[in-house]
Amino acid sequence: MPRIEFTPNIQRHVACPPMTVAGTTVAEVLASAFADNPRARAYVLDDQGALRKHMIIFVDGVAIADRTALSDAVGENAVVYVFQSLSGG
Amino acid sequence: MQILVATRKGLFRFERTKPAHWRIATAEFLGDNVSMVLDDARSGITYAALDHGHFGVKLHRCSKGTWEEIAAPAYPPKPEGLEEKDMWGRPLPWSTVRVWALETGGRDEPGTLWCGTIPGGLFKSTDNGSSWQIMKSLWEHPKRRQWMGGGADLPGLHSVLIDPRNSKHVTIAVSTGGIWHTEDGGETWAQRGEGMRADHVPPELTHDPIAQDVHCLAQCQSDPERMWVQHHNGIFVSSDRGRTFTEIKDVRPSVFGFAVVAHPKEPGTAWFVPEIKDEKRIPVDGRLVVNRTRDGGRTFETLTEGLPQSHAYDVVYRHSLALDESGEVLAFGSTTGGLWVSENAGDSWSCLTHTLPPVYCVRFAAA
């Protein structure tokens, strides 16, 4: 199963420990992560479910291309990093 | 009595220890961008809107000294296939970009709050902010799509006024989009604001109420027919609850500014903080002053005692000038971190500090 990790900076607002989650796309992986942590969703995604402007997600070191539908594929052993961009501070 | 000061780097509570003496009692959310603060005198609850650059807009509620994060206003799903662009042709975000107005409902509506946002959505809560509903009647109004950026890149709803005689009578103002009014609690909305003038649009739109860049709208509590507008193009006053406005010209040192507050009992009295229009946006001649009228705008006094009169470059944003319920105590904060208080209706001022972060909102609260 993929593993997901969140930026340390989000932790002071809402705890997001690393976890293994189900899913084959970024959208599915995030949905799994937020299922037990619903408050974290609005810190990463906007009102329409798109990635927030100043957030960035890497799958195995590659920034995702689809920031709206989050359709980028996630492999079975992939590592998904949810970071903040340098912009937006 | 307290003064709540929302700043780019935290929320500060100033406590009045004795006449003309104030001290910082608490500093909360240090390091975070607090865009708005509200004290609800009906419940004793304080609300703070935070704008985390990366993590979005959040709302927090403080009851009996304990803060908790509550729901932030969220836009409904954007209909499939709907294309809506901002003034640069980019997709207009159906997402809360900033909380730009936060007000309590009427005294007969405990728990009711109103929230204005960028990009223009108006939200209502009836449970002290635990949940929010967008005012669909306004967001789906066909003319809403003519709203444009002004004070921010995207349309912003910055003023919400509840008529003290009837809580269903609500007036809002948008930068840019003019003034809108409902008499049925938000079921239907109508544009108001005839008589205002915009010189940043072609001549055929100059007097179009929807083209008006209202910077701030204020209402007299004892005479709600009296409204004041600090507009991009000057100062306007209404005697019919915003249906029509009269422009007030030739006010020294400037008619430009962002903030206005209306005396709660004297409909002829209001205060403004003038700046140089409009590309510069600094005090005229580096002198920080407050303008006061007591005769409905026929004349103005320029109040300077206690305010810096040389090389002052303080800008006072639209929510950063506050007046208490008595109409005697005023406070304002500036972009350069100054905070001044007057306990004699502006005749003289005391600087409480000039080292705050940039100030976004100032409110009075009960101790």
Side-chain angles (χ1 to χ4, degrees):
Chain A
M1 292 173 71
R3 177 177 174 82
I4 187 168
E5 297 190 17
F6 292 83
T7 170
N9 292 306
I10 203 172
Q11 309 296 336
R12 78 178 177 95
H13 302 294
V14 53
C16 296
M19 61 179 75
T20 53
V21 288
T24 59
T25 66
V26 171
E28 291 174 1
V29 164
L30 289 177
S32 299
F34 297 147
D36 295 327
N37 193 7
R39 198 162 71 86
R41 184 178 190 277
Y43 280 77
V44 177
L45 306 180
D46 69 16
D47 297 1
Q48 301 302 314
L51 187 62
R52 287 197 174 279
K53 181 179 179 182
H54 297 296
M55 296 296 286
I56 189 165
I57 294 178
F58 296 89
V59 178
D60 289 334
V62 178
I64 64 170
D66 182 0
R67 299 174 57 91
T68 303
L70 308 172
S71 62
D72 291 57
V74 176
E76 188 176 346
N77 298 310
V79 179
V80 177
Y81 288 102
V82 180
F83 282 173
Q84 59 206 113
S85 303
L86 287 180
S87 61
Chain B
M1 178 186 288
Q2 292 184 341
I3 304 171
L4 305 178
V5 185
T7 79
R8 179 67 181 81
K9 295 291 180 183
L11 173 64
F12 300 87
R13 287 179 192 261
F14 285 76
E15 194 174 68
R16 190 172 185 262
T17 54
K18 58 183 180 179
H21 284 75
W22 299 76
R23 68 175 184 90
I24 295 179
T26 61
E28 297 162 302
F29 302 111
L30 275 178
D32 290 331
N33 183 353
V34 185
S35 68
M36 177 59 58
V37 62
L38 171 69
D39 175 71
D40 187 346
R42 304 167 306 176
S43 62
I45 296 173
T46 304
Y47 300 87
L50 273 58
D51 181 2
H52 299 302
H54 302 89
F55 305 125
V57 169
K58 312 298 173 200
L59 266 182
H60 292 253
R61 177 172 65 193
C62 181
S63 180
K64 298 176 181 172
T66 302
W67 286 98
E68 62 171 336
E69 185 179 334
I70 57 175
Y75 283 66
K78 191 174 186 178
E80 192 83 24
L82 174 67
E83 282 199 24
E84 187 175 4
K85 303 287 179 63
D86 67 12
M87 56 197 288
W88 289 279
R90 301 174 301 201
L92 183 85
W94 279 41
S95 195
T96 299
V97 173
R98 189 185 308 166
V99 167
W100 220 19
L102 194 57
E103 301 293 343
T104 61
R107 290 191 177 90
D108 59 334
E109 300 175 312
T112 293
L113 304 172
W114 293 84
C115 181
T117 66
I118 296 173
L122 176 65
F123 294 81
K124 184 178 183 180
S125 171
T126 56
D127 53 11
N128 294 309
S130 293
S131 63
W132 295 89
Q133 296 77 42
I134 194 167
M135 195 59 57
K136 280 189 176 180
S137 50
L138 187 62
W139 184 245
E140 295 175 354
H141 195 290
K143 295 192 80 174
R144 191 272 303 166
R145 294 177 72 168
Q146 296 179 32
W147 295 359
M148 301 175 73
D153 285 357
L154 300 167
L157 202 163
H158 53 71
S159 297
V160 180
L161 305 176
I162 314 300
D163 191 321
R165 301 168 301 188
N166 186 335
S167 299
K168 291 187 180 302
H169 294 189
V170 179
T171 309
I172 62 148
V174 182
S175 174
T176 67
I179 294 172
W180 293 76
H181 182 79
T182 178
E183 301 218 326
D184 52 20
E187 294 291 320
T188 59
W189 293 86
Q191 178 102 59
R192 287 197 169 175
E194 296 287 344
M196 291 191 288
R197 175 184 61 84
D199 66 9
H200 52 272
V201 291
E204 60 269 28
L205 298 177
T206 298
H207 297 286
D208 188 338
I210 204 168
Q212 304 306 315
D213 185 7
V214 175
H215 282 181
C216 190
L217 176 67
Q219 184 174 34
C220 176
Q221 289 297 292
S222 67
D223 181 3
E225 299 295 312
R226 171 52 50 90
M227 288 185 174
W228 296 90
V229 161
Q230 175 62 69
H231 184 287
H232 189 89
N233 288 118
I235 294 170
F236 297 83
V237 62
S238 172
S239 300
D240 56 9
R241 219 174 358 140
R243 289 181 182 86
T244 60
F245 282 87
T246 300
E247 184 170 7
I248 299 171
K249 299 177 179 176
D250 301 324
V251 180
R252 301 295 175 192
S254 169
V255 294
F256 182 84
F258 295 101
V260 53
V261 290
H263 196 289
K265 304 182 188 76
E266 301 171 8
T269 300
W271 292 261
F272 303 80
V273 186
E275 311 273 347
I276 297 176
K277 185 195 178 194
D278 104 49
E279 294 81 359
K280 292 190 175 179
R281 304 187 180 194
I282 53 174
V284 178
D285 297 328
R287 300 172 63 221
L288 182 59
V289 304
V290 174
N291 271 349
R292 177 179 65 198
T293 179
R294 285 179 151 164
D295 55 11
R298 283 186 288 278
T299 62
F300 283 79
E301 303 163 85
T302 298
L303 310 169
T304 63
E305 187 178 334
L307 300 176
Q309 296 301 294
S310 68
H311 288 290
Y313 303 107
D314 302 81
V315 175
V316 178
Y317 284 154
R318 68 199 74 207
H319 302 115
S320 297
L321 171 64
L323 176 66
D324 83 330
E325 286 186 349
S326 74
E328 284 295 309
V329 185
L330 294 112
F332 71 87
S334 77
T335 51
T336 51
L339 183 71
W340 287 269
V341 174
S342 170
E343 298 188 7
N344 52 15
D347 288 341
S348 62
W349 297 84
S350 300
C351 180
L352 303 190
T353 174
H354 52 81
T355 58
L356 289 176
V359 174
Y360 293 153
C361 181
V362 176
R363 303 263 200 179
F364 284 99

